[in-house]
Amino acid sequence: MRLFLLVSLVMVAFAANSVLNRMAVFGAGLDPEWVAVLRLGAGAVVLLGLTLALQGAQSLRISPKVVVVGMATLFLYIYGFSIASGLIDAGVGALVLFGSVQITMFVGAWITRERLTRWRLIGAALAFAGLVTLLLPGSSDAHIDPAGVGLMVLGGIGWGLYSLNGRGVRDPLAATALNFTLALVLALGWLAASGDPGQGQAWGIWPALASGAITSGLGYALWYRVLPQVPASLAAIAQLSVPLIAALGGALLLAEVPGPRFWISATLVLGGIALSLKKS
């Protein structure tokens, strides 16, 4: 039960990221590279502070290979996600993101020869069918921008690889702190290369900072902590609940109200998750 509650809390944090970034990039009109810097910077400050206060500087001595892979895959996710957040609705964006995550993590589970039970495969197929149902042509639930979908797929691949990398980390808090700090360097390079960012309304800074410090920084640290206890395939399926939470958040905060097709998709996704939890 404790593990279930922790995973549920992480899924809520992930969904909040979709809504908060949509608010900053689309709602306030901030440049995506600026939002990425704010998000990674706030997360780095919080995570480094917690790491130094709770564990000391010696905990930051982590395998360079793990840190470099974590930095690169985190930035890949941030890059695709930040731009796509301004192009597609929060709920649809989360669907595309975590559909891509699922594929990436299932491929990772297959490569590492993790045992995939019959019910887990059936559950994954049913849940993915729910995603396809929502994204079928003719849906009135949301506008779907092809460029936004492509960038969100890129972000999903990055997040899937980041999650797989996190399964081998012994100190999730310190690793996440280092990942955010080093990915911030890449984001600052992106910001410098973009020319003259600075569009948008000032209030958009706050959801970007909240996304970095709370739902990203603390949420990712908790995710890294629970990942070793969760099979890669099951972690992929659990993340399919995020789009449903994000869509509800988008409806409440952004007036992006889902239509009937959303609820059909929700039934398939949640049913698939339920089936995947069967042990045999």
Side-chain angles (χ1 to χ4, degrees), residues 64-81:
K65 179 180 178 181
V66 172
V67 173
V68 169
V69 172
M71 169 195 69
T73 54
L74 177 61
F75 178 73
L76 180 63
Y77 154 70
I78 289 287
Y79 176 82
F81 181 83

Side-chain angles (χ1 to χ4, degrees), residues 6-280:
L6 290 176
V7 171
S8 299
L9 182 61
V10 173
M11 297 305 107
V12 171
F14 289 172
N17 274 328
S18 294
V19 177
L20 290 170
N21 279 266
R22 177 74 170 161
M23 291 173 68
V25 179
F26 178 76
L30 295 185
D31 294 289
E33 57 269 31
W34 181 232
V35 172
V37 168
L38 289 172
R39 184 179 176 188
L40 288 168
V45 168
V46 169
L47 290 165
L48 281 175
L50 284 174
T51 301
L52 294 174
L54 299 176
Q55 302 174 182
Q58 70 279 359
S59 65
L60 295 174
R61 298 174 182 173
I62 297 174
S63 166
K65 179 180 178 181
V66 172
V67 173
V68 169
V69 172
M71 169 195 69
T73 54
L74 177 61
F75 178 73
L76 180 63
Y77 154 70
I78 289 287
Y79 176 82
F81 181 83
S82 297
I83 301 176
S85 291
L87 301 175
I88 50 180
D89 292 353
V92 172
L95 277 171
V96 175
L97 177 72
F98 286 97
S100 304
V101 170
Q102 184 201 36
I103 294 172
T104 303
M105 294 191 72
F106 262 87
V107 170
W110 175 73
I111 291 174
T112 58
R113 300 182 184 277
E114 179 181 306
R115 180 175 175 269
L116 302 176
T117 67
R118 177 185 57 180
W119 287 112
R120 194 160 293 167
L121 291 170
I122 294 174
L126 185 60
F128 193 74
L131 301 185
V132 173
T133 297
L134 186 62
L135 297 175
L136 283 173
S139 171
S140 61
D141 287 23
H143 170 67
I144 300 177
D145 183 282
V149 170
L151 285 162
M152 198 63 84
V153 168
L154 183 68
I157 293 171
W159 178 249
L161 295 174
Y162 182 76
S163 296
L164 290 170
N165 183 61
R167 290 174 59 79
V169 171
R170 294 183 179 180
D171 190 335
L173 181 60
T176 311
L178 286 174
N179 289 336
F180 265 70
T181 303
L182 295 175
L184 174 61
V185 176
L186 297 179
L188 287 170
W190 178 25
L191 181 65
S194 65
D196 184 27
Q199 303 180 52
Q201 303 174 52
W203 67 264
I205 292 173
W206 299 109
L209 290 175
S211 173
I214 302 171
T215 57
S216 291
L218 298 180
Y220 292 6
L222 181 58
W223 183 231
Y224 257 28
R225 180 170 186 141
V226 301
L227 268 174
Q229 306 172 56
V230 181
S233 53
L234 185 55
I237 297 168
Q239 290 179 86
L240 290 174
S241 65
V242 174
L244 310 180
I245 305 171
L248 292 175
L252 292 173
L253 299 175
L254 301 170
E256 297 174 352
V257 182
R261 189 177 294 197
F262 168 81
W263 298 110
I264 297 173
S265 175
T267 300
L268 292 171
V269 171
L270 293 177
I273 292 173
L275 283 177
S276 72
L277 296 176
K278 291 177 68 68
K279 294 184 179 181
S280 61

